[in-house]
Amino acid sequence: MTLSVFTPSQIISLEDGAADMFMNTILTPDASRQIQAVQTYREEMMAKAIKLPLTNGIDEVKKKMILSGLADLKEGERFLCNGAKISDLDSPEARYYLRLVSYLNDGKNRSPQEAQNMAREEQSEFAIRSKETEPGSSD
């Protein structure tokens, strides 16, 4: 399993045990072990991250990435968690998710759906286009 965490300026990619540790220790999954895609940062998340044990896929490097990503956030800011596997930080997919997070935190109190729609409109690779009929067709 892959878990990518998108903050306003960073992407943290965690796999397998590290993803489970992050979800179960720092985030609060629901009864079916699911987490909400859009999370709201609380200071207690940083306290939990500081206490993360170096085990089950969490090594010094991953722990520093997690701490750095959370340090980027202020109380009440939103960040995104999902199963995207980002290997290129300059890819259209990475830019799309970072833009979505920026819309979630731009002070306009957008819903996740509104932020997603705006990010899709700006990122042409993710724009939803209607099928255009060809001239002369009888549709």
Side-chain angles (χ1 to χ4, degrees), residues 56-129:
N56 200 22
I58 302 283
D59 58 17
E60 285 286 339
V61 173
K62 286 186 179 82
K63 186 170 180 175
K64 285 180 183 178
M65 283 180 9
I66 291 167
L67 292 172
S68 175
L70 293 178
D72 189 33
L73 295 162
K74 295 176 184 77
E75 182 81 24
E77 280 189 313
R78 296 182 284 176
F79 61 99
L80 182 65
C81 298
N82 68 27
K85 190 167 187 171
I86 305 295
S87 57
D88 178 4
L89 299 177
D90 292 322
S91 70
E93 186 176 19
R95 289 192 315 264
Y96 163 75
Y97 286 122
L98 290 171
R99 184 168 288 116
L100 196 161
V101 171
S102 73
Y103 285 132
L104 288 170
N105 292 305
D106 66 0
K108 296 188 177 161
N109 201 27
R110 291 187 174 94
S111 72
Q113 187 63 47
E114 290 170 327
Q116 185 177 35
N117 290 342
M118 291 185 70
R120 281 188 173 154
E121 287 174 16
E122 250 185 72
Q123 191 74 32
S124 62
E125 290 86 348
F126 292 93
I128 299 172
R129 299 170 198 260

Side-chain angles (χ1 to χ4, degrees), residues 26-40:
I26 297 170
L27 306 178
T28 306
D30 64 19
S32 62
R33 290 188 27 110
Q34 298 295 311
I35 61 165
Q36 295 295 313
V38 177
Q39 295 282 319
T40 301

